[in-house]
Amino acid sequence: MTPAAAPASPLTWAQLRDLKCAELEGAADGWGKASNRADAGRDRIEHQLLNGLRETQQGAAAEAAVGRLRRLGRNLSYVYTECGLVRTALNSLAFEMRAQQRVLREALDDAESLRFTVHADGSVTYPAAGEGLIDGKPLAGGTASVGAAPGLLPPSELVAPNPHAAKAQDIADRVAKAVRTAAEIDWRFARILRKLKAEEGLTVPERTWTDTAGDAASVRAAARGYLKSGIPYEASAVARREWWAGLTDEQREEYLAVYPDQIGNLDGIPALVRDTANRDNLQLLIGKLEGRDGERAETQLAGLREIDRQLRAGRQPPMFLLGIGDEGNGRAIVSYGNPDTARNVSAYVPGLNTSLDADFAKNDLKRALDTAKGASKYDHSSASIVWLGYDAPQSPDGFNSLDVMGEERALKGGNSFHQFMSGISATNEHGDPHVTAIGHSYGSRTVGAATQQEGGIPGVDDIVLVGSPGVGVDRAEDLGVGKDHVFVGAAENDVVTKLPSKQQSAAGAVGWAAAGPVGGYLMGEVADKDDDDLWFGRDPASAAFGARRFPVGEGPRLVGGSGVSIDAHSQYFDPERDAMSADSIALIAAGRADKVKIEESR
């Protein structure tokens, strides 16, 4: 839909000159205080009242009270967001109006210095000046009006223009442009502010969050010059941390209210801030996707709702939402435990068929939670992250997909993971925390790509690879942490850890075509006589790779009594289905790798 054009405005240059932008900013401060009060109320409900009720009360009455408190907290969240949007809209209006006042003031100052007169309608009168070519007398003065060019085109070669004419015209045009632009700004923000209103009643229905998502988008677009241009997207994680620390409280509040998606996903911003921003953005995303049709929106909405449910459940270790978004197949980064205060931080990268959906929100989050609980048994100062910050390959048919067979997604994801880990290193309060990168399935290839970035993965001490089809290098020492700090888990029945190499597959296909199954097998063996190459390089569990292999359960067979199963590929983190593997991962994540049992390589 084409936006409506701004109507003609009665705004005059005198009104623009006399506009008190400080009053707009004062009103913005008032809305900011209302937003802060709502935020404080929401925080008290979520971190004090709800926790107190859960710990001390049980039964139907307690559950009903919890439900009402959650609804009140949700309403306060809406008040916080909308009041924050009003504040930023008013501040943006003042910011843009001040810019036009400066343009106007410069034009008026120029007119005064030249002794020109600026009239109420914006026209500019200038005095006689110069000399006539024939009589030598001063040329007559005149008046420059908007859109005209008096005296610029002489009527004949015998008459010169008044030298003041062009200057007066320039001043008249600058005055007119400032007034016209200010009128457009006024009209634009009036439309935005009229939309920022709540429905009557004490309940905030789901559809209201859909409207709020639209409100936020409108204010973001209007505040682009006021706020967004200041976000240091191209800076290092350390520089971003310092940028945030240097902002005033009022500036931080505005960024959180208007750009929770940007601040929440900006590596180098403290975890508590990212969590606050992303929880607000989560509600906006839910509202945004509820207003859309289609399978993709429904799939992501299910994932967002499940993450929201877990965040509200108040489980331990506490959850921190470090990233959330609907781009591509969806983004979600969740930490169990605060990665800024923990001595041990692990980050797990999932692989094949992972996307922002209900399965990810239930199963992949559980893997990080299981690691966090396991690590806490050895060191309570531990945080465990699941990082879905890239588009993992999607293949309903397993590895029969160009996306899965290719490395492009891993390379892009590796760059993003490298940046994320830079942020973890920048914000952690310990001088030298113990950091572990964990890659599962195609995620191990992504971790491998991250290690090949300049300087390796920032801060990482240990690397864990489970269910890996290869990591893109042929030696553990090429991962940048020393081969004794690379750990591998490969279940006997995990088909992904036995994918043939590209050369082996090609040779086998040729042999099969020439001499059937036996020929295919023999040529495949010749292509990889040591049988230690996988699709993305040498088998990390092989002796030639040089990593330390920890024992894991065999897992269910690929073909059994219940049909085909790839469960052996997905149980490495589960303390119930594979206690040996889960405990080994937890030990490494807790900085106790010296306690991990090691078995022979393949």
Side-chain angles (χ1 to χ4, degrees):
M1 180 181 294
T2 303
S9 171
L11 183 68
T12 66
W13 65 261
Q15 290 173 321
L16 174 59
R17 178 196 61 192
D18 298 336
L19 177 66
K20 293 180 174 58
C21 291
E23 293 183 357
L24 292 173
E25 292 169 333
D29 289 342
W31 285 98
K33 290 177 181 177
S35 178
N36 292 341
R37 284 195 290 269
D39 188 37
R42 176 183 64 172
D43 186 73
R44 184 163 183 258
I45 287 171
E46 293 179 353
H47 295 100
Q48 296 181 35
L49 298 180
L50 282 175
N51 288 340
L53 267 175
R54 293 191 189 102
E55 293 171 0
T56 62
Q57 304 295 322
Q58 292 182 347
E63 286 300 316
V66 166
R68 285 193 289 270
L69 280 173
R70 282 179 176 166
R71 184 173 63 187
L72 179 57
R74 186 174 176 84
N75 290 357
L76 288 173
S77 179
Y78 170 76
V79 172
Y80 160 78
T81 298
E82 287 289 310
C83 288
L85 293 176
V86 173
R87 172 183 56 189
T88 299
L90 290 171
N91 276 332
S92 297
L93 173 59
F95 175 81
E96 293 197 33
M97 284 298 198
R98 272 208 175 94
Q100 299 313 310
Q101 283 182 320
R102 285 194 296 270
V103 173
L104 174 64
R105 189 179 305 112
E106 290 171 0
L108 295 177
D109 288 346
D110 287 347
E112 183 179 3
S113 67
L114 292 168
R115 299 182 183 277
F116 293 175
T117 300
V118 181
H119 302 285
D121 63 356
S123 60
V124 179
T125 297
Y126 54 93
E131 295 180 354
L133 295 178
I134 298 175
D135 57 12
K137 294 181 179 180
L139 299 172
T143 299
S145 58
V146 179
L152 295 184
L153 298 175
S156 73
E157 295 181 358
L158 300 178
V159 180
N162 185 317
H164 288 320
K167 296 177 182 178
Q169 187 61 56
D170 175 65
I171 292 171
D173 289 342
R174 287 154 61 194
V175 169
K177 184 178 180 181
V179 173
R180 182 172 63 252
T181 303
E184 291 172 353
I185 293 168
D186 178 63
W187 174 79
R188 176 159 43 93
F189 277 95
R191 292 182 67 206
I192 292 171
L193 289 166
R194 277 195 292 267
K195 289 177 60 181
L196 297 177
K197 60 181 181 180
E199 296 185 19
E200 294 183 3
L202 299 177
T203 300
V204 179
E206 294 291 341
R207 65 178 180 273
T208 301
W209 280 105
T210 301
D211 294 338
T212 302
D215 293 343
S218 297
V219 175
R220 287 172 190 165
R224 185 172 299 272
Y226 171 60
L227 285 179
K228 190 174 182 181
S229 60
I231 300 176
Y233 294 107
E234 303 302 322
S236 67
V238 171
R240 291 171 179 171
R241 181 197 66 198
E242 293 174 350
W243 167 76
W244 183 260
L247 296 177
T248 65
D249 289 341
E250 291 76 13
Q251 288 172 322
R252 291 178 192 156
E253 290 163 3
E254 285 199 84
Y255 275 114
L256 287 172
V258 181
Y259 289 111
D261 57 330
Q262 306 293 320
I263 301 303
N265 290 287
L266 196 63
D267 299 325
I269 301 299
L272 283 171
V273 177
R274 292 181 72 161
D275 178 62
T276 298
N278 285 315
R279 286 178 188 243
D280 291 332
N281 190 41
L282 177 63
Q283 300 306 318
L284 295 175
L285 284 172
I286 290 174
K288 173 184 172 182
L289 294 178
E290 282 176 341
R292 294 182 177 179
D293 296 323
E295 182 178 354
R296 178 174 174 273
E298 292 179 2
T299 298
Q300 293 190 351
L301 190 56
L304 292 171
R305 283 174 170 160
E306 175 59 22
I307 291 173
D308 184 46
R309 184 193 69 77
Q310 293 187 37
L311 287 169
R312 295 177 184 278
R315 61 175 52 188
Q316 295 295 324
M319 290 175 68
F320 292 81
L321 190 58
L322 303 181
I324 199 74
D326 63 342
E327 62 266 36
N329 294 326
R331 302 286 187 267
I333 307 171
V334 175
S335 178
Y336 291 93
N338 188 338
D340 288 353
T341 59
R343 285 191 298 267
N344 303 288
V345 181
S346 64
Y348 145 60
V349 182
L352 174 65
N353 283 338
T354 310
S355 63
L356 179 55
D357 56 16
D359 181 74
F360 166 81
K362 293 176 181 177
N363 297 321
D364 285 280
L365 262 64
K366 181 180 181 298
R367 290 173 180 173
L369 177 60
D370 286 338
T371 299
K373 289 180 176 179
S376 292
K377 291 189 301 183
Y378 302 106
D379 189 337
H380 69 277
S381 183
S382 298
S384 177
I385 300 167
V386 53
W387 182 85
L388 180 59
Y390 79 121
D391 282 329
Q394 305 296 300
S395 175
D397 300 321
F399 267 73
N400 185 25
S401 164
L402 292 178
D403 281 338
V404 180
M405 306 305 276
E407 298 182 278
E408 181 179 358
R409 295 189 179 219
L411 295 176
K412 289 183 178 179
N415 180 58
S416 297
F417 185 61
H418 182 274
Q419 294 179 27
F420 173 76
M421 297 305 286
S422 295
I424 293 297
S425 294
T427 58
N428 190 278
E429 296 174 3
H430 297 275
D432 186 22
H434 173 259
V435 181
T436 305
I438 305 172
H440 173 242
S441 186
Y442 190 89
S444 67
R445 178 65 188 94
T446 303
V447 169
T451 67
Q452 302 308 296
Q453 299 284 319
E454 184 176 356
I457 307 178
V460 167
D461 301 287
D462 293 310
I463 292 176
V464 177
L465 309 168
V466 288
S468 175
V471 296
V473 299
D474 290 333
R475 301 179 304 171
E477 60 195 68
D478 294 334
L479 294 177
V481 295
K483 65 179 183 179
D484 290 339
H485 292 273
V486 180
F487 299 86
V488 176
E492 179 63 27
N493 293 321
D494 183 355
V495 65
V496 176
T497 69
K498 296 184 176 182
L499 287 176
S501 67
K502 299 172 185 178
Q503 296 84 357
Q504 199 172 9
S505 297
V510 172
W512 182 287
V518 174
Y521 173 77
L522 291 175
M523 290 193 71
E525 288 294 296
V526 170
D528 181 16
K529 62 181 180 180
D530 294 323
D531 196 26
D532 60 5
D533 286 336
L534 299 181
W535 189 259
F536 293 122
R538 186 158 288 154
D539 179 4
S542 69
F545 189 81
R548 303 174 70 187
R549 187 183 181 193
F550 55 85
V552 303
E554 292 186 354
R557 293 181 178 275
L558 180 63
V559 180
S562 302
V564 178
S565 169
I566 59 170
D567 285 352
H569 184 57
S570 60
Q571 60 188 36
Y572 292 99
F573 300 85
D574 194 320
E576 294 184 0
R577 294 192 296 168
D578 194 340
M580 287 188 300
S581 176
D583 190 57
S584 295
I585 294 172
L587 279 167
I588 298 166
R592 304 294 300 277
D594 58 310
K595 302 296 182 181
V596 174
K597 295 180 181 179
I598 303 299
E599 68 176 8
E600 290 185 7
S601 302
R602 284 178 174 172

